[in-house]
Amino acid sequence: MNIHEYQGKALLKAAGVPVLEGVHCTSVNDALEAYDALGSKIVAVKSQIHAGGRGKGTMYNPETREEVMQGGVKIAFSREEVETYASNILGNILVTIQTGDEGKIVNNLYVESGCAIAHEYYLALLVDREEKTVLIMASTEGGMDIEDVAHNTPEKIHKINVDPNAGLLGFQKRDLGMALGLSGNALKSFFKMLGKMYDMFISQDCAMVEINPLVKTEDDEIVALDSKISFDENAEFRHKDWNDLRDLSEEEDVEIRAKETGLSYVKLDGNIGCLVNGAGLAMATMDVIKLYGGEPANFLDVGGGADEEQVKTAFSIILEDPNVKGILVNIFGGIMRCDIIARGVIGATQSLGLDVPLVVRLAGTNVDEGKAILAASDLNIHPADDLAEGAQKIVSLIGGGE
Amino acid sequence: MAIWIEEDAKVLVQGITGKQGMFHAGKMVEYGTNLVGGVTPGKGGQEVLGVPVFNSMIEAIKQTDADATVIYVPPPFAGEAIIEAANAFETVKGSGVIVCITEGIPTLDMVNAAAYVANRENVRLIGPNCPGIITPGETGGSKLGIMPGHIHAKGRIGIVSKSGTLTYEAVAQTMSINEGQSTCIGIGGDPVNGTGFIECLSAFEADPQTEAIVMIGEIGGNAEQEAAAWAKENCTKPIVGFVAGATAPPGKRMGHAGAIISGGKGTAEEKFEAFEAAGIACARDPSELGQVLLASLKEAGLR
């Protein structure tokens, strides 16, 4: 789960990590009041969306699609500029390299004081899957795309793995700060800041904290100038406050509904809807559809223990997608029984109607019962014995393929 | 011989009085698993499925001399259940196998649990978020997990996979060419887990019953690439592979917490290439795994 920069900064501040003064705004008027309240001559006016590349993005009018302004993060040197930038950003669409062409509408703005920057760094905390520890990564190349730095100048990226038994130790913080070329007060400031940030990463169950840039000010203080924070959703049960930080406008409605029903759904651009049990098999089903010349419309895992009602919801989610021209159901029953799927499919098609071809492949627990139930119904269901046959059938039924 | 779990292994179930635990413990017994007890704190002294329930893992292992445990404890408590089991096996008998089925354990809980297990040399963790491990026998066998037992048969193919249902698909594929399995292991789809691909490959390589291996990966991380590089240097037995997620969009979690392409890394293509570079015969369609395996067995003079 991702949160906005302004929310991340509030968490950092509460944890004791230095950030600049800033105000969350939802209107141009808010922005002007924020400017007056901050009392800083120079302020940053920053679009708040869950995607990177905001500074280099472009603002567009949502109706006319005409360009409004270059950049979704602007430095304002006067009250008038704050007004111009805020009105160019709020309610308009920001397209960045991470949003796709459709972009994202900006409803939130962050107005932040300026500071005198001496140097920009990169800092990130995340979980290292291979080492099975928290990894801290830092670089002197702040403000740049870290993937590029990693690719072109890997020696400029410094890493520490934190042993969960020992925690983050003093020498590790010092070594990392010195690797960044820090000394004196800046090193002390970095040392203190990193300890607080690590503690926050653990206590907040973060999946990632990325600060790009982290800056050294001309007064030798270390300050988080940006913040990109995401949480580990598995830990949601112990963070009731996350619900207030969730911005539902950043998520696909249908993905939210699927999640509430206990389904795992990801919308894709193709036209063959898939309903599968198990994440691995669901991915493999999409892959095989593509292999035989079709395009999957979604990833949908109904899970191991779905009931008829969940299968029905899954079906309705697939059918609501106007791009869907055919459906492939692929079930390998383990805990999931094929007869339950068969009943769910029939129930769903009876209540929702079905005007696209449907191919059903059943295997595993209670397969014969499941097949018999489908065969006895008067629905136009095309059976398949294995995944390849199912994929080939649905691709040819919608007249697709190469 | 099989790996890690023998046909007659003595098995405990943690969370045996819960709905999931009781249902699956029943299925395990039906299959032939030698269930010797269960653990639910506060419910010691009861009897479930004809076996005693204990309050703690230490007590359960002392009383039953169990070799392994299967965890069906809900996510908030599962990390601690792993640690309790690791401590008990180490303290009471010096070794043991922990299989954690639970899906949805917080990643940082797993960082702690994995480190705890790693510090206990003869304790092994399989999972979490996995179907478990099964060693089919002549009649019955030992099933530690949620996989449908009836699709398996004893044989010479070792299977290792990150996915559940895709493992069943792989099992069905071996059966389609009249091959059974030595041991099938689901290592799980979480970003931080216990046993990895390399340990499984290494154990299959050393196991006399296993003559060929099927390895199923998925997008996210680089465990498959590392395993392929390891296999190239160390494996003499034929390996057949598949990777799920060639059509997955970047940056989106595909069901499993670990199945995500981040920063352009961990794609299916990358993994297939690593497999092929290591001489692993790949199927691009899992329905062809059987035929690819058959060809590999023939090439190795095993059919």
Side-chain angles (χ1 to χ4, degrees):
Chain A
M1 170 186 161
N2 297 320
I3 60 171
H4 288 298
E5 176 196 358
Y6 76 90
Q7 298 168 322
K9 291 234 171 109
L11 288 176
L12 289 169
K13 191 176 177 186
V17 173
V19 294
L20 299 173
E21 286 299 313
V23 182
H24 168 224
C25 308
T26 54
S27 70
V28 176
N29 212 31
D30 281 359
L32 291 170
E33 281 176 19
Y35 178 78
D36 297 338
L38 287 171
S40 168
K41 279 206 165 153
I42 304 169
V43 297
V45 182
K46 307 172 98 174
S47 304
Q48 301 291 293
I49 58 168
H50 291 177
R54 292 171 300 165
K56 290 182 182 130
T58 308
M59 303 298 317
Y60 293 96
N61 181 302
E63 272 102 48
T64 64
R65 279 272 159 186
E66 277 166 14
E67 182 178 323
V68 177
M69 182 171 73
Q70 278 292 320
V73 173
K74 303 296 272 189
I75 305 300
F77 294 90
S78 67
R79 201 170 192 274
E80 290 66 38
E81 282 187 351
V82 171
E83 185 166 19
T84 309
Y85 295 148
S87 46
N88 282 349
I89 290 172
L90 283 168
N92 285 326
I93 282 176
L94 176 56
V95 177
T96 79
I97 45 164
Q98 288 185 12
T99 60
D101 291 342
E102 72 275 22
K104 279 187 173 171
I105 196 138
V106 186
N107 299 316
N108 295 286
L109 201 64
Y110 193 53
V111 178
E112 195 179 53
S113 301
C115 75
I117 299 170
H119 192 91
E120 297 191 352
Y121 305 90
Y122 173 91
L123 179 69
L125 282 72
L126 64 160
V127 173
D128 183 335
R129 298 170 64 144
E130 278 68 41
E131 297 298 324
K132 304 177 188 180
T133 67
V134 174
L135 169 70
I136 303 179
M137 253 176 26
S139 168
T140 49
E141 308 301 293
M144 319 246 299
D145 183 346
I146 197 65
E147 306 292 343
D148 292 343
V149 179
H151 186 259
N152 300 328
T153 48
E155 71 282 1
K156 288 186 174 165
I157 294 186
H158 309 280
K159 296 179 177 177
I160 358 177
N161 282 97
V162 183
D163 181 334
N165 296 310
L168 177 60
L169 298 170
F171 78 90
Q172 293 181 303
K173 293 182 270 186
R174 212 158 34 238
D175 285 356
L176 191 62
M178 279 157 55
L180 295 177
L182 298 172
S183 59
N185 193 58
L187 182 60
K188 271 187 203 157
S189 174
F190 178 82
F191 185 97
K192 199 171 153 201
M193 179 281 305
L194 191 55
K196 306 266 189 205
M197 194 179 287
Y198 175 78
D199 291 346
M200 185 201 81
F201 185 92
I202 301 294
S203 68
Q204 288 289 334
D205 274 296
C206 295
M208 182 163 89
V209 172
E210 185 178 45
I211 310 294
N212 190 18
L214 176 82
V215 303
K216 180 173 77 177
T217 65
E218 287 180 352
D219 312 332
D220 259 0
E221 291 293 336
I222 299 293
V223 178
L225 216 61
D226 193 10
S227 105
K228 192 173 163 192
I229 294 180
S230 61
F231 298 133
D232 169 17
E233 295 196 25
N234 283 355
E236 199 171 354
F237 64 83
R238 57 188 175 210
H239 298 279
K240 302 294 174 217
D241 52 323
W242 285 359
N243 217 19
D244 302 331
L245 298 175
R246 192 177 281 274
D247 182 351
L248 291 176
S249 72
E250 288 278 347
E251 299 171 32
E252 293 256 4
D253 284 347
V254 50
E255 288 177 15
I256 298 167
R257 225 174 86 215
K259 200 180 156 207
E260 282 167 357
T261 325
L263 307 167
S264 180
Y265 174 91
V266 176
K267 183 164 169 18
L268 303 168
D269 298 329
N271 55 14
I272 298 177
C274 326
L275 188 159
V276 190
N277 67 325
L281 191 59
M283 279 188 268
T285 303
M286 292 160 33
D287 299 348
V288 172
I289 287 173
K290 176 102 174 174
L291 195 67
Y292 291 107
E295 289 288 343
N298 63 275
F299 166 93
L300 200 164
D301 171 12
V302 292
D307 55 25
E308 280 183 50
E309 209 44 46
Q310 280 169 305
V311 173
K312 212 167 137 181
T313 308
F315 237 87
S316 69
I317 285 173
I318 293 174
L319 287 170
E320 274 166 32
D321 179 349
N323 295 333
V324 167
K325 300 282 180 282
I327 299 174
L328 173 60
V329 174
N330 182 24
I331 301 296
F332 203 119
I335 319 167
M336 168 68 79
R337 286 159 33 201
C338 290
D339 53 317
I340 296 212
I341 289 285
R343 285 198 194 91
V345 167
I346 289 172
T349 49
Q350 277 168 348
S351 60
L352 302 165
L354 181 72
D355 49 10
V356 295
L358 171 63
V359 174
V360 179
R361 181 271 178 137
L362 298 175
T365 309
N366 291 3
V367 58
D368 295 331
E369 267 178 87
K371 282 183 176 173
I373 291 167
L374 291 180
S377 80
D378 50 2
L379 286 165
N380 187 18
I381 295 172
H382 306 267
D385 283 327
D386 66 25
L387 173 51
E389 188 195 341
Q392 283 163 335
K393 270 195 176 167
I394 193 64
V395 170
S396 87
L397 280 165
I398 65 162
E402 283 133 314
Chain B
M1 272 294 282
I3 73 169
W4 301 325
I5 295 295
E6 297 302 327
E7 282 173 43
D8 57 353
K10 294 191 283 289
V11 179
L12 295 169
V13 165
Q14 282 168 270
I16 196 165
T17 55
K19 188 181 160 212
Q20 291 287 324
M22 199 177 305
F23 175 78
H24 288 293
K27 293 280 174 193
M28 283 163 52
V29 171
E30 236 172 68
Y31 185 72
T33 308
N34 183 13
L35 183 74
V36 295
V39 173
T40 301
K43 300 211 169 162
Q46 296 185 6
E47 197 169 280
V48 169
L49 300 162
V51 299
V53 178
F54 301 96
N55 283 318
S56 76
M57 278 298 287
I58 292 242
E59 191 190 347
I61 298 169
K62 275 186 180 159
Q63 298 293 323
T64 64
D65 190 39
D67 304 303
T69 177
V70 191
I71 296 174
Y72 294 103
V73 169
F77 317 107
E80 192 181 317
I82 293 171
I83 293 177
E84 184 191 349
N87 173 58
F89 277 125
E90 166 95 353
T91 311
V92 181
K93 59 187 292 181
S95 68
V97 175
I98 304 164
V99 180
C100 185
I101 307 301
T102 310
E103 174 173 7
I105 303 176
T107 306
L108 292 176
D109 290 5
M110 275 315 303
V111 166
N112 289 332
Y116 193 91
V117 172
N119 284 336
R120 282 152 183 82
E121 210 184 330
N122 296 313
V123 176
R124 169 170 304 286
L125 170 65
I126 294 170
N129 190 11
C130 76
I133 177 169
I134 184 168
T135 296
E138 297 292 351
T139 52
S142 196
K143 168 174 123 85
L144 280 70
I146 58 174
M147 63 289 275
H150 65 88
I151 64 170
H152 300 79
K154 185 172 181 172
R156 58 176 177 170
I157 311 298
I159 300 181
V160 54
S161 166
K162 273 185 179 173
S163 147
T165 41
L166 202 46
T167 316
Y168 315 158
E169 196 76 50
V171 168
Q173 284 293 307
T174 63
M175 299 299 278
S176 76
I177 58 161
N178 296 314
E179 293 286 348
Q181 308 84 40
S182 51
T183 300
C184 306
I185 309 155
I187 61 170
D190 272 1
V192 174
N193 62 0
T195 300
F197 280 118
I198 293 177
E199 290 159 282
C200 296
L201 294 180
S202 168
F204 281 136
E205 176 69 17
D207 171 37
Q209 187 188 329
T210 305
E211 293 186 30
I213 302 162
V214 176
M215 174 159 70
I216 312 274
E218 66 186 29
I219 54 164
N222 67 352
E224 289 83 352
Q225 295 89 314
E226 289 186 352
W230 186 90
K232 190 177 180 194
E233 299 300 320
N234 300 286
C235 263
T236 56
K237 299 176 181 177
I239 308 178
V240 169
F242 174 76
V243 180
T247 44
K252 283 272 187 184
R253 253 177 207 211
M254 307 304 278
H256 286 157
I260 181 164
I261 299 170
S262 32
K265 296 273 170 57
T267 64
E269 206 41 51
E270 225 176 276
K271 291 169 193 265
F272 270 122
E273 278 170 16
F275 277 13
E276 278 160 2
I280 296 171
C282 291
R284 294 284 169 155
D285 168 356
S287 330
E288 284 167 3
L289 275 167
Q291 289 309 311
V292 176
L293 176 62
L294 183 60
S296 291
L297 289 171
K298 281 182 178 160
E299 202 181 312
L302 295 167
R303 281 283 282 251

